[in-house]
Amino acid sequence: MEGALSLLALVTVVVSAGVITVAAHFRKERATELQAWAREHGWHYTEHHPSPLEDAVLPRTVQGPDTRARHVLTGRRGTHLTTMFEVTRSTSPVSRRGAGQERQTYRVVAVRTPGPGADLEIHRRDLARIVSLDGRGDPEEVGRAFSEAFRTVGTDDDFTRAVLGQDTVSWLLSDCRSRSLPVRFTGSHVLTWAAMHLDPDRALTAADYLIDLVGRIPAQAWERDTTEC
């Protein structure tokens, strides 16, 4: 019996070592691929970064125990400074850290805004629901449709009103990308996130959506007194 237990322990150690080796190989291979993408597109790659978005606060969905940012790509999409990366967080309580801990991965794509803004999140309420209005109704009709289709949570009413003007609201209702790309304004960035690994080419589509959104927001939205923010 003692011999069988010793053999089992040895097998467990060998299997664990093999899993760690394979995981390290894939991490290295992935870093190499992203470095190559960055060189090809004139971007900068950092494998690990403690705070890739400076003063930005990530969405609560992305935050959690032992949150880490990795595979950070920074460059310009046209004239817009763009950052995209992965965030991983533990799905287990902190007390279980290191004991077979599982991690969840999110892709974050962020574009620097023309100025600092207040925290504001915009989500579709029901992804399965198709909005019939294409954004071309009268202001009251458009506003009602937007309230039915989207949920917004902001910390500054003036900033929220400036961002969600008639033109922006109509565009959000009619642009199909709003179905799968939630938005958060925070600090000097606007960002979107999704539960997936970082695919740079696919992430650029999300960046283009954010750039289109920023382009529809009037300049006065960024002309705020931030001394009390």
Side-chain angles (χ1 to χ4, degrees):
M1 182 67 177
E2 184 177 342
L5 291 174
S6 299
L7 179 60
L8 179 60
L10 177 62
V11 170
T12 301
V13 170
V14 171
V15 170
S16 298
V19 170
I20 293 171
T21 301
V22 170
H25 170 75
F26 279 111
R27 284 197 299 270
K28 183 177 180 180
E29 187 176 69
R30 184 123 190 279
T32 300
E33 291 175 353
L34 291 172
Q35 284 175 336
W37 187 94
R39 285 194 300 270
E40 181 182 348
H41 292 79
W43 284 44
H44 177 74
Y45 171 77
T46 303
E47 188 170 358
H48 299 282
H49 197 297
S51 182
L53 295 181
E54 303 166 353
D55 58 342
V57 178
L58 294 177
R60 185 171 299 178
T61 303
V62 176
Q63 300 179 36
D66 195 23
T67 302
R68 306 173 192 172
R70 62 181 186 179
H71 300 315
V72 182
L73 288 164
T74 306
R76 291 201 173 270
R77 186 69 167 167
T79 61
H80 297 269
L81 183 62
T82 304
T83 305
M84 46 198 190
F85 57 97
E86 286 182 1
V87 171
T88 65
R89 66 177 180 88
S90 171
T91 58
S92 306
V94 176
S95 59
R96 292 184 55 193
R97 187 175 298 172
Q101 188 184 60
E102 295 184 358
R103 302 189 66 82
Q104 188 165 11
T105 300
Y106 291 88
R107 180 202 70 190
V108 177
V109 180
V111 170
R112 184 175 288 277
T113 53
D119 285 359
L120 170 63
E121 286 194 12
I122 307 169
H123 302 256
R124 282 292 292 264
R125 290 185 182 276
D126 184 356
L127 298 181
R129 180 173 178 267
I130 298 176
V131 180
S132 58
L133 182 68
D134 62 5
R136 291 182 296 181
D138 61 60
E140 183 177 347
E141 185 181 9
V142 171
R144 184 169 56 252
F146 181 81
S147 296
E148 292 175 356
F150 289 87
R151 178 172 62 89
T152 63
V153 180
T155 59
D156 185 296
D157 291 343
D158 290 338
F159 181 73
T160 299
R161 282 192 294 269
V163 169
L164 297 178
Q166 177 77 9
D167 179 63
T168 306
V169 165
S170 297
W171 176 77
L172 286 168
L173 282 167
S174 61
D175 195 298
C176 63
R177 293 172 295 182
S178 69
R179 291 174 53 80
S180 58
L181 295 173
V183 170
R184 177 175 175 83
F185 292 87
T186 174
S188 298
H189 292 85
V190 58
L191 60 88
T192 185
W193 65 99
M196 63 174 65
H197 289 279
L198 173 64
D199 176 336
D201 293 316
R202 188 174 180 182
L204 288 178
T205 300
D208 288 340
Y209 173 68
L210 297 176
I211 291 168
D212 287 346
L213 172 59
V214 169
R216 284 168 169 77
I217 297 173
Q220 59 264 31
W222 317 112
E223 299 170 358
R224 303 172 55 250
D225 181 3
T226 59
T227 56
E228 298 182 0
C229 295

